Amino acid sequence: MYQIMAKKTLNKDVDLMEVKAPLVARNAKPGQFIILRVDDEGERIPLTIAGIDGDLVTIIYQKMGYSTQLLGKKSVGDFIEDFVGPLGKATHIRKKNHVIGVAGGVGSAPLLPQLKAYHDQGIKVSLILGGRTKDHLILQDEYAAFCDHIYLATDDGSVGEKGFVTDVLKKQLDSDPTIDHLIAIGPVIMMKYVTLMAKAHGVSVDVSLNPIMIDGTGMCGNCRVTIANKTYFACIDGPDFPGEEVDFDELMSRQSYYKDEEHMCFIDLDNHGR
Amino acid sequence: MAVKTQRTRMRTQDSIERQSNFLEVALGYSYDEAIAEARRCIDCKNPRCVLACPVEVNIPLFIKYLLEDALDEAFETIYKDNILPSICGRVCPQESQCEGACILGIKSTPVAIGALERFVGDYGMEKHLADTTVPELKHKKVAVIGSGPAGLANAAGLRKKGYDVTVFEALHKFGGVLQYGIPDFRLPKNIVENEVQNLKTMGVEFVKNAVIGKSLTIDQLFEMGYQSVFIGSGAGLPSGLGIPGENLSGVYFANEFLTRVNLMKSRSFPLSATPVKIGDNVAVVGGGNVAMDAARTAKRLGAKNVFIVYRRDEASLPARLEEIHHAKDEAIDFRLLRNPVEILGENRIVKQVVCEIMALGEPDDSGRRRPVGTGETVTFDIDSIIISIGQKPNPILKDNTFGLKTHSWGGIITDENHMTSIPGVFAGGDVVSGAATVILAMGTGKEAAETMHQYIQNKKT
Ligand SMILES: Cc1cc2nc3c(=O)[nH]c(=O)nc-3n(C[C@H](O)[C@H](O)[C@H](O)COP(=O)(O)OP(=O)(O)OC[C@H]3O[C@@H](n4cnc5c(N)ncnc54)[C@H](O)[C@@H]3O)c2cc1C
Ligand SMILES: Cc1cc2nc3c(=O)[nH]c(=O)nc-3n(C[C@H](O)[C@H](O)[C@H](O)COP(=O)(O)OP(=O)(O)OC[C@H]3O[C@@H](n4cnc5c(N)ncnc54)[C@H](O)[C@@H]3O)c2cc1C
Ligand code: SF4
Ligand code: SF4
Ligand code: FES
């Protein structure tokens, strides 16, 4: 059992938690993730490690469906049944000069440690942060501590540019020839379009893939993705891959295979407390 | 002495009824049935059955005790060589091991050794006969990676020798394939949990959610004071067919399918959180135990038509004979000499599988006749397809352990003492042999407990 030591609401859909998990914290590196089960009947769900502080592991999750909402009902002092990691490969830090991180929505959380890792290597980093509204742009202060520039984009124009992150990205790529690498994390469709834009500008791009996972140890094969026409398991070979080589359409299709079932889970959320 | 009787058949759950539940299919012997069957053993002087059992259970002796109504002694006799009798009695491929060698098999049917072992094992489980007494702690720590049969047997052996044993398991439940792979209708999970509980009673410590190589490295285990390490991480990495369409939605590897159903309990979805969907027509590719388990599980989830698609003939099916019979009784449709060459989809969801019709050629390395393509194909309409053609060792330990030597297919290389290329690190079970059997995994785990003990004793401190 893993105790929740801190909890913070980032916006109405997104919480941050610090969970005591020494076996995860000990070897964790940027880009890696954990898999948790909220309770003994729970589903295994993957979440990126957003930070480490001693024995504490930070996770930031968007309350999407059953399991993340159940997690959101837990408070400081409560326990999570299972919490395993660090899983996946650590981010490969490329030798670059100016890296732009592009985050969509809660993708801001997994991007943070990666972009910070580039900064820690002395590489110039900037951020493009996008979301539905002003409230959906999370972790701005944390990024401000090390980013050269932060550009914002919202669907409703409540802050920053009205439009998509790709609109902002295009302007930057057109105007700033020092940019030589992108990291895009967010909805698959966003990563796909960022990748297309990177290709058009001859800039490399890494993306972090989020297929449906079960074990996270290479056992089930559910997380398979096609990279350069070869099958890889995102949980052990990834989750980061060069965007140029990813079959995004396949990923989107595999991700949505259980869409109908995800809204069918009949376990009563309100009466599920223990 | 002439053998007058045929072997006592084990009762099974009705073949129609069982297709909609996950209760055990084979119901086991009653006391009278067990005695009737035990009487058939002629107590050979040089029992061939014993030599054919990978751990050399003293079969005639336990049968003799059974006949004398000395059930406790019968249990102890088996337990001395095999700490998992209730499990092995159910899942060993007896026809190619103990029973395959039984002298009675020549003229009649072999003694039902597996069924008798199950009877005695279950009796022992009910009466808590497993010897959980252990010597006083020597306070030397050893680490076991993986809680499958190899790891469990190794942990038991070392604990019996007085070591302070910790088992590290990547998943949230213990038992390895016994837990996430083999379905309840063949091996009820309370049996696996009982075995784990026995080890806990003996003082073995179990740590779940610990992926060695990630959460802790083997070097870190040594730094933490573990004197020796046993790797029993199994062969969990599924192999694909490498044909077009394999990543369409609705194409499962057997591990995913069985894990969803067994470990994550999706069979009770939407009352459990993890779903599974397969539709009406399910093709299962492969002919081993994994394929039979996947097919029979699919049937129980409500699939109308389940086909086994296998590229060789019936005689070559590697599954246990009992599973093949049970699968047939459950109306699983065997489409033999069919080799999938392409999976076709619509909107990226599987719709059909195209199979090449195969013929039998010359015998290959395995002694079975090699399937050769005829160039002709047949196409089946399907809603999902479950690929069950084999597993390789998981690469996490290999990739994260400096100096650990492996074969090109991923298996860990060990010497005659089960030691790997790293001094003090031993390995056994499927991670060394490739996908094999419960009893072989258990056997090497147990042997390695001996050699690890010798290694630690000989080590200068
Ligand atoms: C490597 C990785 C890192 C991730 N990091 C984060 C993170 O830091 N923060 C965050 O908010 N989300 C993250 N996700 C996504 C997160 O796992 C899903 O949002 C979560 O599983 C949804 O579960 P649910 O029951 O609440 O929602 P559901 O209603 O069950 O599902 C909503 C959507 O989430 C996806 N999903 C569902 N189950 C799984 C599963 N077992 N594995 C992966 N995706 C699933 C599906 O695309 C589904 O359509 C990550 C995913 C992966 C693979
Ligand atoms: C569906 C199915 C049906 C089968 N049916 C039969 C049958 O009828 N009869 C028979 O004899 N055999 C059968 N087998 C084969 C048999 O189950 C295996 O040969 C046996 O379980 C191997 O035992 P093991 O201990 O080597 O590994 P496993 O049982 O695979 O256990 C390995 C354990 O190690 C854990 N692990 C892996 N990596 C790590 C790590 N890095 N850190 C920590 N833990 C780790 C895994 O999570 C797992 O729990 C079947 C197999 C399957 C999949
Ligand atoms: S352990 Fe397996 S092979 Fe050995 S006697 Fe028992 S059933 Fe037969
Ligand atoms: S070979 Fe058959 S008859 Fe002989 S001892 Fe073994 S089980 Fe009994
Ligand atoms: S999540 Fe199961 S293999 Fe990757």
Side-chain angles (χ1 to χ4, degrees):
Chain A
M1 300 274 271
Y2 303 79
Q3 195 167 24
I4 299 165
M5 307 306 286
K7 184 179 177 188
K8 208 160 91 186
T9 305
L10 299 186
N11 66 36
K12 85 175 186 344
D13 297 326
V14 180
D15 296 338
L16 173 153
M17 265 182 192
E18 286 184 78
V19 181
K20 189 167 179 182
L23 277 185
V24 175
R26 184 162 178 166
N27 294 332
K29 293 194 187 61
Q32 291 186 298
F33 64 96
I34 57 103
I35 283 190
L36 64 76
R37 280 202 321 152
V38 180
D39 61 25
D40 199 32
E41 275 118 53
E43 182 181 19
R44 293 174 68 97
I45 59 163
L47 295 170
T48 307
I49 298 170
I52 297 291
D53 181 7
D55 278 354
L56 302 185
V57 177
T58 304
I59 50 172
I60 295 173
Y61 56 91
Q62 179 166 16
K63 286 167 271 184
M64 294 276 290
Y66 175 72
S67 299
T68 43
Q69 285 178 32
L70 191 62
L71 181 62
K73 291 192 178 295
K74 297 270 170 184
S75 323
V76 174
D78 289 351
F79 289 87
I80 295 174
E81 180 70 30
D82 293 300
F83 198 89
V84 57
L87 301 170
K89 290 211 160 78
T91 303
H92 169 62
I93 307 291
R94 298 166 185 262
K95 293 194 172 48
K96 295 289 178 180
N97 296 309
H98 184 184
V99 175
I100 296 214
V102 187
V106 73
S108 172
L111 178 66
L112 184 73
Q114 292 205 23
L115 208 55
K116 177 95 179 11
Y118 271 92
H119 165 79
D120 291 346
Q121 297 291 309
I123 294 163
K124 180 173 163 188
V125 296
S126 305
L127 171 73
I128 301 174
L129 186 58
R132 262 179 288 154
T133 70
K134 183 166 176 260
D135 289 343
H136 290 88
L137 304 183
I138 55 169
L139 303 172
Q140 286 185 55
D141 292 347
E142 285 77 357
Y143 279 108
F146 63 87
C147 284
D148 201 65
H149 257 91
I150 298 182
Y151 308 92
L152 306 178
T154 49
D155 295 356
D156 67 350
S158 49
V159 68
E161 186 115 349
K162 181 174 157 73
F164 296 127
V165 286
T166 37
D167 302 333
V168 182
L169 177 64
K170 182 157 191 332
K171 280 188 202 155
Q172 292 308 313
L173 287 170
D174 286 341
S175 63
D176 184 349
T178 69
I179 300 167
D180 55 357
H181 185 56
L182 306 178
I183 308 172
I185 308 185
V188 180
I189 189 81
M190 180 209 100
M191 295 193 282
K192 177 179 169 177
Y193 282 106
V194 170
T195 297
L196 288 175
M197 193 167 285
K199 271 191 191 163
H201 284 79
V203 172
S204 60
V205 56
D206 283 329
V207 294
S208 184
L209 302 186
N210 51 354
I212 297 184
M213 296 188 174
I214 301 179
D215 59 302
T217 66
M219 183 266 277
C220 73
N222 194 13
C223 65
R224 57 196 195 275
V225 289
T226 299
I227 313 290
N229 297 318
K230 261 188 75 185
T231 296
Y232 289 86
F233 288 7
C235 70
I236 48 171
D237 302 319
D240 297 344
F241 292 98
E244 299 87 335
E245 298 175 343
V246 174
D247 184 340
F248 289 106
D249 295 334
E250 176 186 280
L251 176 60
M252 280 187 268
S253 149
R254 289 185 63 81
Q255 255 186 353
S256 61
Y257 190 53
Y258 277 100
K259 212 160 59 206
D260 298 341
E261 286 75 9
E262 267 139 15
H263 301 288
M264 254 169 65
C265 194
F266 290 163
I267 314 173
D268 185 347
L269 261 176
D270 292 323
N271 296 321
H272 203 78
R274 191 176 325 216
Chain B
M1 192 197 286
V3 191
K4 15 184 210 317
T5 50
Q6 285 289 316
R7 70 196 225 157
T8 317
R9 284 197 54 165
M10 192 183 286
R11 283 162 298 124
T12 53
Q13 216 198 126
D14 176 76
S15 67
I16 304 284
E17 208 171 288
R18 72 188 191 223
Q19 289 176 36
S20 49
N21 69 45
F22 277 84
L23 301 176
E24 200 169 6
V25 168
L27 298 174
Y29 280 160
S30 66
Y31 181 81
D32 290 343
E33 286 164 339
I35 295 295
E37 182 61 20
R39 283 210 184 97
R40 297 182 62 233
C41 170
I42 56 172
D43 192 9
C44 304
K45 265 217 184 58
N46 296 305
R48 298 157 38 122
C49 56
V50 176
L51 293 178
C53 165
V55 298
E56 301 195 3
V57 167
N58 193 335
I59 296 160
L61 185 63
F62 97 72
I63 293 182
K64 206 154 106 192
Y65 280 130
L66 176 57
L67 285 172
E68 289 166 5
D69 198 26
L71 284 160
D72 291 21
E73 286 76 4
F75 180 82
E76 277 150 29
T77 304
I78 303 176
Y79 195 76
K80 195 165 69 59
D81 297 301
N82 176 0
I83 61 160
L84 307 172
S86 288
I87 295 174
C88 293
R90 284 174 171 78
V91 305
C92 261
Q94 287 97 5
E95 68 270 19
S96 55
Q97 298 180 356
C98 52
E99 294 178 15
C102 172
I103 192 93
L104 300 195
I106 298 173
K107 294 220 170 105
S108 162
T109 43
V111 174
I113 301 168
L116 292 175
E117 182 168 314
R118 166 182 168 157
F119 176 80
V120 173
D122 287 0
Y123 167 86
M125 183 163 67
E126 202 176 299
K127 292 276 184 317
H128 301 288
L129 293 182
D131 178 12
T132 50
T133 55
V134 281
E136 220 175 290
L137 271 187
K138 279 186 201 151
H139 296 300
K140 280 204 173 153
K141 299 204 301 179
V142 289
V144 175
I145 303 171
S147 63
L152 293 179
N154 185 256
L158 287 164
R159 184 67 197 92
K160 290 256 168 207
K161 296 193 187 304
Y163 289 92
D164 181 358
V165 185
T166 312
V167 178
F168 295 95
E169 168 57 51
L171 293 173
H172 60 263
K173 283 215 171 139
F174 303 106
V177 168
L178 307 178
Q179 184 68 250
Y180 74 75
I182 304 181
D184 287 65
F185 56 80
R186 251 190 343 117
L187 180 64
K189 293 299 157 261
N190 66 321
I191 297 175
V192 181
E193 269 139 32
N194 177 75
E195 301 299 350
V196 172
Q197 188 52 49
N198 281 342
L199 293 190
K200 287 185 179 165
T201 308
M202 284 162 66
V204 173
E205 200 192 326
F206 283 84
V207 180
K208 63 174 180 172
N209 300 326
V211 185
I212 304 304
K214 296 275 181 189
S215 310
L216 290 169
T217 62
I218 288 181
D219 284 346
Q220 285 169 334
L221 290 174
F222 282 116
E223 282 163 24
M224 288 159 73
Y226 290 98
Q227 301 289 310
S228 181
V229 175
F230 177 77
I231 303 176
S233 54
L237 184 81
S239 306
L241 292 160
I243 61 173
E246 205 163 19
N247 292 348
L248 291 169
S249 293
V251 182
Y252 294 92
F253 288 153
N255 277 2
E256 177 193 344
F257 177 63
L258 292 171
T259 300
R260 279 182 185 267
V261 180
N262 295 328
L263 187 70
M264 307 313 298
K265 302 283 177 272
S266 59
R267 60 176 186 254
S268 44
F269 186 85
L271 295 173
S272 69
T274 306
V276 66
K277 71 172 163 200
I278 49 171
D280 287 340
N281 301 301
V282 180
V284 176
V285 183
N289 288 321
V290 185
M292 298 305 140
D293 284 346
R296 298 172 68 200
T297 299
K299 197 87 197 187
R300 283 162 174 73
L301 291 174
K304 292 201 181 82
N305 303 300
V306 181
F307 328 106
I308 293 267
V309 176
Y310 181 58
R311 65 194 178 113
R312 297 178 189 254
D313 63 342
E314 169 141 9
S316 309
L317 285 167
R320 297 178 71 223
L321 220 49
E322 189 185 358
E323 309 319 325
I324 299 168
H325 290 157
H326 286 166
K328 286 190 169 167
D329 289 347
E330 290 165 16
I332 307 288
D333 182 353
F334 285 69
R335 310 263 172 115
L336 302 167
L337 291 165
R338 300 286 178 273
N339 189 34
V341 288
E342 183 170 9
I343 303 169
L344 303 172
E346 208 175 278
N347 300 323
R348 292 181 177 269
I349 296 177
V350 57
K351 267 277 169 299
Q352 291 181 315
V353 57
V354 183
C355 298
E356 183 172 17
I357 299 174
M358 311 298 279
L360 290 179
E362 295 297 306
D364 62 13
D365 297 344
S366 72
R368 299 174 297 177
R369 289 177 64 189
R370 185 194 302 277
V372 284
T374 61
E376 270 180 70
T377 61
V378 277
T379 301
F380 307 128
D381 288 343
I382 49 171
D383 300 307
S384 60
I385 178 164
I386 303 171
I387 298 169
S388 326
I389 57 157
Q391 270 133 233
K392 290 174 297 216
N394 185 297
I396 290 181
L397 273 162
K398 171 185 72 149
D399 291 349
N400 293 286
T401 309
F402 183 75
L404 184 65
K405 290 216 173 86
T406 56
H407 297 284
S408 55
W409 51 271
I412 295 179
I413 298 172
T414 53
D415 65 14
E416 66 283 1
N417 293 322
H418 306 290
M419 189 149 90
T420 67
S421 53
I422 304 175
V425 178
F426 294 73
D430 280 6
V431 73
V432 172
S433 59
T437 61
V438 172
I439 190 68
L440 286 171
M442 208 206 79
T444 52
K446 188 178 152 189
E447 274 175 38
E450 290 291 334
T451 54
M452 286 166 77
H453 174 55
Q454 282 158 21
Y455 169 84
I456 295 171
Q457 279 189 319
N458 295 339
K459 201 167 67 162
K460 281 199 226 101
T461 32

